């Protein structure tokens, strides 16, 4: 579909408005107001069409029964489930108030990176008089070593929350991605 907006388009709209108002007396300011409203309506309609086009998902929705998971996908699913269950279920809330669980989580992440074959760098900083840290594992690039892709997740939670969705699932995804990509050098 192609839209062409030419002066004749707006002229046609004005003509339709004139036909509608034929035989009625309307002041010039009211005529300008009606034209402005018509223009605003057209612009809003166009904006809605553009927004719908930009937010539409490409392709078709999947229909039918999903195929069974492969062996590798089953391992990934199990690893993700175990990590989320451990962080949200066993450790639970973790932040500068619940500091011991926060430290336990950092140790878990560090051990997980080491188990996947990574060396881990630690960046310490202070929050509310507590030393916390970022943990960094890196895969050096192969073909384009100067290009950097950062994948991150925060491992703390808000108060009174085990953080299953925010952000145990993010940590689980990051650790699983690290496991899967260990032998690659993108």
């Amino acid at each position: 579909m192609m839209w062409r907006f030419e002066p004749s388009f707006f002229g046609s709209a004005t003509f339709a408005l004139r036909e509608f108002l034929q035989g009625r007396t309307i002041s010039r300011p009211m005529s300008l107001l009606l034209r402005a409203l018509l223009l605003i309506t057209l612009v809003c309609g166009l904006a809605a069409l553009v927004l719908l086009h930009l937010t539409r998902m490409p392709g078709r929705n999947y229909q039918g029964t999903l195929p069974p998971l492969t062996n590798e996908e089953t391992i990934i699913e199990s690893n993700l489930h175990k990590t989320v269950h451990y962080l949200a279920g066993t450790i639970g809330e973790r932040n500068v108030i619940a500091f011991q669980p926060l430290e336990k989580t950092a140790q878990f992440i560090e051990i997980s990176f080491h188990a996947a074959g990574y060396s881990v760098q630690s960046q310490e900083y202070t929050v509310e008089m507590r030393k916390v840290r970022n943990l960094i594992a890196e895969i050096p690039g192969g073909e384009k070593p100067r290009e950097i892709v950062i994948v991150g997740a925060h491992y703390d939670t808000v108060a009174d929350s085990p953080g299953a969705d925010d952000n145990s699932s993010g940590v689980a995804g990051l650790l699983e991605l690290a496991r899967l990509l260990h032998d690659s050098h993108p």
Side-chain angles (χ1 to χ4, degrees):
M1 175 185 299
M2 187 169 114
W3 292 86
R4 290 179 46 182
F5 293 98
E6 299 174 353
S8 62
F9 174 81
F10 293 106
S12 298
T14 303
F15 178 75
L17 183 60
R18 279 191 199 134
E19 287 291 314
F20 172 74
L21 296 172
Q22 189 173 20
R24 297 184 175 104
T25 304
I26 188 164
S27 66
R28 179 147 176 85
M30 182 59 80
S31 175
L32 291 175
L33 178 63
L34 288 173
R35 286 181 184 182
L37 287 174
L38 179 63
L39 182 61
I40 290 170
T41 302
L42 291 172
V43 169
C44 288
L46 180 61
L49 287 173
V50 168
L51 184 63
L52 285 173
H53 177 72
L54 292 175
T55 58
R56 184 176 54 100
M57 293 297 293
R60 295 182 184 164
N61 291 339
Y62 186 83
Q63 295 183 0
T65 306
L66 292 173
L69 296 177
T70 64
N71 289 338
E72 180 66 19
E73 290 168 339
T74 302
I75 292 168
I76 292 168
E77 177 190 38
S78 176
N79 289 344
L80 292 171
H81 185 268
K82 285 177 191 173
T83 302
V84 170
H85 185 268
Y86 178 71
L87 293 174
T90 304
I91 294 179
E93 177 185 355
R94 51 201 179 274
N95 49 52
V96 291
I97 297 166
F99 191 69
Q100 287 304 108
L102 183 68
E103 277 297 303
K104 190 173 183 178
T105 302
Q107 290 168 358
F108 169 77
I109 294 168
E110 195 165 12
I111 289 167
S112 298
F113 275 141
H114 284 301
Y118 292 93
S119 60
V120 180
Q121 297 175 17
S122 182
Q123 289 181 335
E124 284 191 358
Y125 59 99
T126 304
V127 175
E128 295 182 20
M129 300 185 331
R130 301 243 188 202
K131 286 192 178 189
V132 295
R133 57 196 173 127
N134 291 327
L135 301 168
I136 303 163
E138 182 179 344
I139 300 173
E143 288 182 33
K144 299 179 182 179
R146 295 182 63 120
E147 292 186 11
I148 297 172
V149 175
I150 297 174
V151 180
H154 66 90
Y155 60 90
D156 61 334
T157 68
V158 296
D160 299 322
S161 173
D165 292 328
D166 187 13
N167 195 30
S168 294
S169 57
V171 172
L174 184 137
L175 292 175
E176 190 58 16
L177 188 60
R179 182 188 72 82
L180 293 168
L181 293 178
H182 177 262
D183 294 325
S184 70
H185 293 282

